[in-house]
Amino acid sequence: MSFAVFLLYVFLSFFRPIELFAPEIAELRPMLVLWTLGFVLAAGRAIVRKQVAARAIDFKLLFGFMLTLGLSLLFNGWAGGAFTAMNDFSTSSMLFLLVALNVTSLERLKKTCAAVVLSMLFAAGFGIQAFHTGQYATQLVLRQTAPSHEDDDPSRAPPSSASEIPAQDTSGWYLWRVRGQGFLSDPNDFSQVLVMCLPLLWAAWRAGKHLRNLLFVLAPGAVMGYGIFLSQSRGAMLGAASLLFFTVREWLGTTRTTVLMALGGTGFIAASAIGGRAISSQEQSAADRIEAWSVGLELLKWRPVFGIGYGNFTDHNPLTAHNSFVLCFAELGLVGYFLWIGMIVLTFKSLSSVIDCMPSRNPHRQMVALLRNSLVGFLVCAWFLSRTYQPVLYFLLALCVSSWYCATQSPAMSGRDSVAYQRTHDVKWVKSTLLMMAFTIFAVRAFVFSHNMGGAH
């Protein structure tokens, strides 16, 4: 019962049919009711069975990070905002806990991933039909002024009635971007979750089952890929490219794959420029982001320990950071950044330890590998989006931790004296976290330096 409620909550959270088809019901807070019911049932089950799919260190890092949100405001002179900040993050933290309480077996992990994939397939399908037919276009397609017309007189724009069907708009005045509902109403968030789902489709792949693979993997993948394209999110395109790189590399090797991706990247940049969404640090939108990163570095210098405070970045820059890493170290300082990067590094290294210790055909290892790819794709997108506190990240981290837990509970890993058990449980993450902190801060600085050098010419 508790798991069925959880799956329903997951499906409705990502697809959001209530907001789309019956927005009047949303006033009754059905998602909150469903979450409360699911949490109570799952907590009762966990207490009885004494089973939670996460380690103490996972919860310590998560709730330490949550506490840091409040401390960041406290040390910046706003004690009253500390509780509000932690309350804002409670949705993400409690979603992590909800997954840990429910996803305690490989079968449950697969069903949860299937629920997410199915919900996003529905969301992508409705977004695509909205783009081509105009039905639900107001909710599912965001209309923006194209970069080439941002400085033009708005009175010259074509009337709204002339562009009721986005796909038929040939004026070139507008940029039409497919999106979802709820927390996926931003096209960038929407496409980032689609990128996250792409590797999970491969859990349904069966060797030699051509029709099955076409119906359950390739066709849904094409729908999601088209949804990503219609979102016109450059970060999501790069995230999808990173997934392609890791997938193709296993077949062609690193060198050939790098050459192939370089050629493909050149074609994509040219195509994006023609479509009005050029990828260049000197293009205005990208330039504004790099400038925001530069501000983030200065804020880190100014407030290195606890940052400038949760939610305060836009008090120092007109735009948000447009980079989850920059937003984290700027607002929460090195303390919060250590905890945030630590969650990611610990999770990634835990997954890698399972992959290194289990045979390639083991079903537990396969799910771990797919979720690790999802995490990589999501983080590539996060490099260009301010999603430090977004619930989806913590949902994905919880799925990854649960996959590690399920793998380590399998017969192949259960011997406490075995080398595999020791490697998967004794994960060294602190040093790697410090190195990753230094690397990402250096990478941001390198981007800013490159942009400034380009602007000088």
Side-chain angles (χ1 to χ4, degrees):
M1 176 64 179
S2 64
F3 188 63
V5 173
F6 169 72
L7 288 181
L8 179 61
Y9 176 79
V10 169
F11 180 84
L12 296 180
S13 293
F14 286 91
F15 178 40
R16 316 297 288 202
I18 295 175
E19 285 91 334
L20 187 60
F21 304 120
E24 64 278 1
I25 299 179
E27 298 179 1
L28 302 176
R29 307 293 296 276
M31 295 302 294
L32 178 60
V33 173
L34 192 61
W35 181 92
T36 303
L37 177 62
F39 179 77
V40 170
L41 292 173
R45 176 183 179 275
I47 292 172
V48 171
R49 300 197 178 192
K50 297 180 180 180
Q51 190 178 36
V52 178
R55 300 156 291 192
I57 185 61
D58 296 308
F59 290 118
K60 288 178 180 178
L61 286 171
L62 178 65
F63 290 106
F65 180 72
M66 184 176 179
L67 179 62
T68 303
L69 267 64
L71 292 176
S72 71
L73 293 176
L74 178 64
F75 282 98
N76 278 279
W78 188 27
F83 178 77
T84 302
M86 291 186 289
N87 184 62
D88 288 346
F89 186 70
S90 63
T91 301
S92 297
S93 60
M94 295 306 288
L95 185 56
F96 183 100
L97 178 59
L98 190 63
V99 173
L101 293 174
N102 279 282
V103 188
T104 54
S105 68
L106 179 62
E107 180 183 3
R108 288 185 166 214
L109 177 64
K110 288 183 176 181
K111 288 181 178 179
T112 303
C113 292
V116 177
V117 169
L118 184 62
S119 63
M120 290 307 299
L121 183 60
F122 271 84
F126 273 91
I128 291 170
Q129 73 85 31
F131 179 82
H132 285 283
T133 68
Q135 186 179 24
Y136 299 113
T138 303
Q139 299 98 315
L140 299 178
V141 185
L142 178 65
R143 188 182 74 177
Q144 297 177 329
T145 302
S148 58
H149 290 284
E150 286 180 347
D151 298 327
D152 292 348
D153 183 359
S155 63
R156 295 176 52 210
S160 300
S161 59
S163 53
E164 292 180 351
I165 300 178
Q168 296 180 5
D169 178 23
T170 59
S171 67
W173 194 280
Y174 298 118
L175 197 64
W176 300 94
R177 306 182 64 192
V178 169
R179 59 179 178 173
Q181 291 284 285
F183 58 80
L184 300 183
S185 59
D186 186 302
N188 295 313
D189 291 321
F190 174 70
S191 56
Q192 185 179 28
V193 178
L194 286 176
V195 170
M196 180 191 85
C197 287
L198 286 176
L200 302 181
L201 280 171
W202 292 90
W205 184 271
R206 297 292 184 272
K209 304 292 185 179
H210 303 298
L211 180 60
R212 172 195 170 89
N213 294 336
L214 175 63
L215 294 177
F216 293 102
V217 180
L218 299 179
V223 172
M224 290 185 176
Y226 188 46
I228 293 172
F229 175 77
L230 291 182
S231 74
Q232 299 206 45
S233 172
R234 292 165 292 189
M237 294 286 190
L238 294 174
S242 71
L243 294 178
L244 183 62
F245 176 85
F246 285 109
T247 301
V248 175
R249 187 183 64 173
E250 297 181 3
W251 302 333
L252 301 180
T254 301
T255 302
R256 292 180 180 177
T257 303
T258 301
V259 173
L260 180 63
M261 294 297 289
L263 294 174
T266 302
F268 168 70
I269 291 173
S272 65
I274 295 173
R277 295 278 286 173
I279 294 183
S280 166
S281 67
Q282 302 305 319
E283 185 262 329
Q284 187 59 47
S285 176
D288 289 342
R289 296 186 183 204
I290 300 296
E291 291 296 333
W293 298 3
S294 178
V295 171
L297 291 172
E298 294 302 316
L299 294 174
L300 178 63
K301 291 181 185 178
W302 182 40
R303 291 282 193 270
V305 181
F306 284 103
I308 58 170
Y310 167 75
N312 288 343
F313 190 92
T314 50
D315 291 345
H316 302 269
N317 192 66
L319 299 176
T320 188
H322 285 292
N323 183 308
S324 300
F325 298 81
V326 173
L327 185 68
C328 186
F329 66 61
E331 291 193 345
L332 306 181
L334 294 176
V335 173
Y337 198 49
F338 172 80
L339 294 170
W340 190 72
I341 293 290
M343 284 187 282
I344 295 171
V345 168
L346 174 61
T347 302
F348 186 88
K349 294 198 70 173
S350 297
L351 298 181
S352 298
S353 69
V354 170
I355 292 172
D356 292 340
C357 293
M358 298 189 83
S360 59
R361 294 186 178 276
N362 186 290
H364 286 280
R365 183 189 185 276
Q366 292 173 350
M367 285 304 301
V368 166
L370 293 176
L371 280 164
R372 189 178 70 168
N373 287 344
S374 289
L375 182 60
V376 169
F378 190 93
L379 291 175
V380 170
C381 297
W383 185 259
F384 302 96
L385 301 171
S386 296
R387 302 299 181 262
T388 308
Y389 318 108
Q390 189 200 45
V392 177
L393 172 60
Y394 301 92
F395 176 81
L396 177 56
L397 286 174
L399 283 182
C400 291
V401 173
S402 294
S403 72
W404 170 88
Y405 170 84
C406 295
T408 58
Q409 298 300 306
S410 66
M413 306 284 285
S414 59
R416 290 182 175 271
D417 297 328
S418 67
V419 174
Y421 184 91
Q422 296 298 325
R423 286 188 62 183
T424 54
H425 285 77
D426 186 21
V427 179
K428 307 297 184 183
W429 61 275
V430 175
K431 182 179 179 181
S432 298
T433 296
L434 294 173
L435 290 174
M436 183 57 66
M437 290 171 64
F439 172 77
T440 50
I441 293 173
F442 174 80
V444 171
R445 186 175 293 278
F447 268 92
V448 172
F449 177 79
S450 176
H451 166 72
N452 291 337
M453 291 295 292
H457 292 86

